[in-house]
């Protein structure tokens, strides 16, 4: 602890300490003037600043700020450098608008495409989400502005988000729901982490000692402060004990009193309070090292937002119509061509500095062409056939129809989940009617999460997924339509054919206070792989105006030690006619494993720009964690000796090259054998085997006598007893052959367990 902070704490009264741990307003911490402790200002987040002018108001017209594309779009760039630069721009706006900490990014997993808030989250894959979160944090914090990594943890739906308990087993938590946070915390060191509203396995995240103290602070070494989501604290004292340092918003007089009383009555150890005070003071003073002043460059940031959209939008279908060229008459249809739909509803809603109008931008980019326009669909949920009729009339005489279709806010927002994955009935009817008379129909989508397309996709020539594209998205879309830029985004999530195909379908959204994460590890492509369910567009998929060839895959070492990892190298060649960027993905497949694992998992990627004819060698490192899985019985990440396939891919469904490597584990694992361990587990455990091996031969012979069984004898009961015996606890088998033993079965197993235990030392 720095002397300065120690000195301040020693002078603080109990009341001052308790007050510091709760905000002074919606957006500020409590200052202590007599000790020169300033207030700290925080604001939403995550893809732009929602800086409310009056800190005592939760919502109000916020100060103008750049609305960058939301996380589903920025993640689709797979460009960590670009996302880092976006972070730098966000920080500049914080500095200009007097904000110390921006509330983001969100690193929650997309368990179901129905989550209303998925637009604010990066991916269904923890590796990709972790990389994105870390680079955004690095960008922001490199300028002396703090971040709040949120919502920690297992907050994957909006339904009953304030109270529901996410029921998640330990392995799933470690392998799916925590790694993006873990990566960001360990590598980017966010100043703050925001706990979520929900309960995790029955305990509110805000009071969850295991989550906030044991895992986040002790295991991952988080040195910043944990802030509550707004209103997530229920019992202030329990929350402090759990590891929640700062409660927001404030003021909350009764909470402050409760803390003071708890310390006085001995219910709360003052050392716990002091630790939270220390963490808060640390960040408050760190924040003040960056003077807040000046302005930001509105145009430069608008351009940065455009760049992110340009790499984040995903070309999903193209029969060759795109890029547009030489058309004499373009019919533009869709309300969102005039009223850009570029962000989502809720706490992340930004008052943009300016907004590019998609239709206008298209007119700027396509000269000497006649344009016509029809609204196509209404802003509300009504059905207006006349709008469809008008659009059909216009497109008939055009060379091409460009339909701008935006998923309306009543179908997708923070605060509620989606009821289905469909566009509005009106929009679907419009697309079908237009594409029926105009085969050259391009659909431009603006939505935060996957929509179904089976009803209409076959009839259209092209689909460009623009996501919630940020305030400059209209420009990037126009540029992509005309080929001024070459789309290079790839999906950070799977687009399913149908809602019923999705991983969490039968466990969604829960009830009676609980949601059971019954699909376990198998979300996103992990699920579609396991069930062999065809999807509309796979994870990692996106088209380009050029084509890439992969060749010459190599690995730094065929046989390697887990701690050393390996590096995969592959040559990528642009074999098309225009410059483009390719996203190379490396998935790891474990050929044989002690516990069930997903078929393959993303463990590395790289984005590379190539001119026509150009070849570059892409190198992607894979570390210990690329091969490890979390073993709940060992309570740690483990590796196992054996062969792994490295799948070098253009998407989760497009594997271009495969290499096989052999891993040698350096782990010296303790034995996890216990009284109920099965014969097979004794045999598979190296320490167990050394103790049990000889004895096994004896029991096997004895068992065979008693049960019959073995290769040709089924012992009169029509089953293979030896096989069954393998899955029986050793102690149970010994009870069956007790007559042939000189001591009670229990004693024998206890003795052997002791021997194993001694071997460990
Ligand atoms: C949201 C957070 C947000 C906070 C402050 C909460 O309702 O869940 O993401 O940062 O409000 O607006």
């Amino acid at each position: 602890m720095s002397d300065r902070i120690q000195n301040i704490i020693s002078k603080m009264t109990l009341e001052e300490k308790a007050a510091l741990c709760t905000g002074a307003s919606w957006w500020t911490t409590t200052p202590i003037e007599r000790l020169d402790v300033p207030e700290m200002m925080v604001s939403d987040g995550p893809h732009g600043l929602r800086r409310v002018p009056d800190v005592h108001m939760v919502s109000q017209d916020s100060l103008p700020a750049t609305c960058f594309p939301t996380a589903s779009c920025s993640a689709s760039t797979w460009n960590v450098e670009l996302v880092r630069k976006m972070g730098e721009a966000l920080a500049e706006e914080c500095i200009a608008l007097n904000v110390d900490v921006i509330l983001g990014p969100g690193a929650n997993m997309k368990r179901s495409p129905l989550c209303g808030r998925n637009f604010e989250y990066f991916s269904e894959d923890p590796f990709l989400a972790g990389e994105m979160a870390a680079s955004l944090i690095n960008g922001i914090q490199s300028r002396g502005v703090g971040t709040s990594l949120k919502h920690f943890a297992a907050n994957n739906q909006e339904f009953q988000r304030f109270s529901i308990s996410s029921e998640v087993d330990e392995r799933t938590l470690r392998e799916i729901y925590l790694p993006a946070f873990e990566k960001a915390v360990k590598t980017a060191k966010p100043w703050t982490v925001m706990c979520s509203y929900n309960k995790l396995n029955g305990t509110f995240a805000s009071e969850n000692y295991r989550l906030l103290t044991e895992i986040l602070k002790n295991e991952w070494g988080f040195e910043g402060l944990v802030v509550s989501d707004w209103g997530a604290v229920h019992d202030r004292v329990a929350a402090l004990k759990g590891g929640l340092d700062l409660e927001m918003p404030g003021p909350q007089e009764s909470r402050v009193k409760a803390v003071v009383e708890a310390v006085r009555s001995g219910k709360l150890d003052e050392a716990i309070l002091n630790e939270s005070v220390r963490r808060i003071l640390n960040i408050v003073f760190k924040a003040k090292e960056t003077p807040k002043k000046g302005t930001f460059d509105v145009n430069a940031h608008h351009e940065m937002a455009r760049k992110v959209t340009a790499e984040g939008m995903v070309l999903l279908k193209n029969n060759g119509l795109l890029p547009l060229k030489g058309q004499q008459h373009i019919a533009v249809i869709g309300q969102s061509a005039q009223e850009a739909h570029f962000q989502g509803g809720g706490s992340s809603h930004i008052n943009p500095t300016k907004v590019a109008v998609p239709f206008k931008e298209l007119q700027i980019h396509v000269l000497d062409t006649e344009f016509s326009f029809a609204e196509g669909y209404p802003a509300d949920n009504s059905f207006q056939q006349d709008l469809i009729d008008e659009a059909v009339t216009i497109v008939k005489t055009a060379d091409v129809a460009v339909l701008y279709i935006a998923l309306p806010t009543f179908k997708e927002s923070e605060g509620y989940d989606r009821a289905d994955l469909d566009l509005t009935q009106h929009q679907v009817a419009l697309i079908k009617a237009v594409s029926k008379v105009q085969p050259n129909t391009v659909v431009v989508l603006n939505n935060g999460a996957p929509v179904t397309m089976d009803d209409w996709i076959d009839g259209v020539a092209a689909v460009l997924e623009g996501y919630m594209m940020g305030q400059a998205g209209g420009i990037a879309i126009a540029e992509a339509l005309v080929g001024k830029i070459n789309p290079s985004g790839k999906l950070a999530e799977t687009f399913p054919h149908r809602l019923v195909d999705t991983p969490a379908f039968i466990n969604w959204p829960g009830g009676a206070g609980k949601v059971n994460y019954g699909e376990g590890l198998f979300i996103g492509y992990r699920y579609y792989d396991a069930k062999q369910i065809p999807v509309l567009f796979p994870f990692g998929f996106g088209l380009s105006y050029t084509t890439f060839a992969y060749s010459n895959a190599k690995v730094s070492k065929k046989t390697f030690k887990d701690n050393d990892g390996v590096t995969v190298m592959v040559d990528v060649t642009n074999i098309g006619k225009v410059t483009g960027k390719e996203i190379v993905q490396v998935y790891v497949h474990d050929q044989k494993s002690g516990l069930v694992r997903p078929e393959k998992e993303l463990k590395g990627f790289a984005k590379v720009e190539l001119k026509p004819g150009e070849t570059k060698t892409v190198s992607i490192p894979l570390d210990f964690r690329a091969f490890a899985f979390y073993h709940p019985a060992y309570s740690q990440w483990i590796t196992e000796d054996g062969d792994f396939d490295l799948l070098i891919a253009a998407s989760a469904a497009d594997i271009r090259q495969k290499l096989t490597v052999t891993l040698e584990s350096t782990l010296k694992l303790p034995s996890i054998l216990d009284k109920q361990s099965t014969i097979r587990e004794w045999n598979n455990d190296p320490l167990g085997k050394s103790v049990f091996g000889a004895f096994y031969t004896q029991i096997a012979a004895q068992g065979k006598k008693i049960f019959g069984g073995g290769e040709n004898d089924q012992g009169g009961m029509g089953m293979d007893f030896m096989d069954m015996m393998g899955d029986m606890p050793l102690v149970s088998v010994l009870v069956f052959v007790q007559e042939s033993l000189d001591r009670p079965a229990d004693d024998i197993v206890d003795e052997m367990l002791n021997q194993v235990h001694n071997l460990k030392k």
Side-chain angles (χ1 to χ4, degrees), residues 186-218:
K186 286 182 173 170
T187 66
K189 303 192 187 320
W191 292 9
T192 83
V193 167
M194 186 191 295
C195 81
S196 55
Y197 286 124
N198 56 288
K199 294 178 188 141
L200 173 60
N201 297 325
T203 306
F204 278 114
S206 61
E207 297 171 12
N208 206 311
Y209 184 78
R210 172 106 188 97
L211 192 63
L212 303 184
T213 301
E214 288 186 348
I215 297 179
L216 175 66
K217 292 180 177 174
N218 296 349

Side-chain angles (χ1 to χ4, degrees), residues 583-653:
I583 298 161
V584 180
Q585 301 152 46
V586 176
Y587 297 85
V588 174
H589 164 75
D590 190 354
Q591 289 193 3
K592 187 166 172 284
S593 129
L595 294 180
V596 170
R597 296 188 74 172
E599 174 66 21
K600 64 174 183 291
E601 298 186 274
L602 181 76
K603 296 298 175 183
F605 62 86
K607 190 164 190 175
V608 58
E609 183 171 41
L610 295 162
K611 296 193 188 80
E614 192 182 7
T615 299
K616 279 185 187 159
T617 304
V618 172
S619 293
I620 298 174
L622 299 172
D623 61 10
F624 176 95
R625 280 286 284 270
F627 301 93
F629 62 94
Y630 191 86
H631 200 303
Y634 292 110
S635 297
Q636 71 177 78
W637 289 88
I638 70 155
T639 49
E640 293 175 331
D641 290 341
D643 291 343
F644 290 78
D645 296 325
L646 310 178
L647 311 169
I648 303 164
S651 84

Side-chain angles (χ1 to χ4, degrees), residues 26-27 43-46 50 58 103-104 117 120-121 148 150-151 155 158 161-162 194-195 197 228-231 346-348 414:
W26 277 93
W27 309 110
S43 283
D44 283 307
R50 187 174 69 91
V58 58
L103 303 175
R117 217 173 173 181
E120 278 189 72
Y121 300 142
S148 196
K150 64 189 187 183
H151 309 88
N155 172 199
E158 293 300 274
R161 69 168 162 154
F162 285 87
M194 186 191 295
C195 81
Y197 286 124
S228 70
D229 199 345
W230 267 229
S347 58
S348 69
E414 177 182 343

Side-chain angles (χ1 to χ4, degrees), residues 463-501:
V463 180
L464 182 60
E465 175 57 82
Y467 276 120
M468 288 180 179
M469 56 188 180
Q471 65 179 49
I475 308 171
I477 296 281
E479 289 173 331
L481 291 175
V482 304
K484 187 170 170 211
I485 56 169
N486 186 354
S488 64
K490 291 194 181 188
L491 296 176
E493 60 190 330
T494 310
F495 274 45
H497 281 293
R498 309 173 306 166
L499 176 59
V500 295
D501 293 342

Side-chain angles (χ1 to χ4, degrees), residues 370-414:
E370 182 193 342
F371 279 95
S372 42
F373 175 78
E375 194 183 328
Y377 58 92
D380 60 21
N381 204 13
S382 60
F383 198 96
Q384 297 177 30
Q385 186 60 42
D386 55 323
L387 293 183
I388 297 181
D389 296 342
E390 183 198 6
V392 167
T393 311
I394 288 178
V395 303
K396 268 184 192 159
T397 55
D399 301 322
V400 60
V402 183
L403 263 65
Y404 289 82
I405 305 286
L407 195 65
T409 304
F410 59 81
K411 293 208 78 164
E412 179 182 34
S413 167
E414 177 182 343

Side-chain angles (χ1 to χ4, degrees), residues 293-358:
K293 59 174 189 304
T295 52
F296 63 89
D297 187 336
V298 169
N299 291 333
H301 289 192
H302 192 65
E303 168 59 10
M304 172 56 65
R306 183 202 66 80
K307 273 191 183 151
V308 179
T309 319
E311 291 211 17
M313 65 177 128
V314 185
L315 182 61
L316 294 175
K317 176 174 179 179
N318 185 16
N319 70 357
L321 177 67
L322 294 182
L324 299 175
K325 52 196 155 310
Q327 282 84 7
Q328 301 298 300
H329 178 187
I330 299 179
V332 171
I333 311 293
Q335 198 242 342
S336 57
Q338 297 277 35
E339 286 286 325
H341 182 68
F342 58 93
Q343 63 173 329
S347 58
S348 69
H349 202 80
I350 287 143
N351 177 12
T353 55
K354 51 182 177 172
V355 178
V357 177

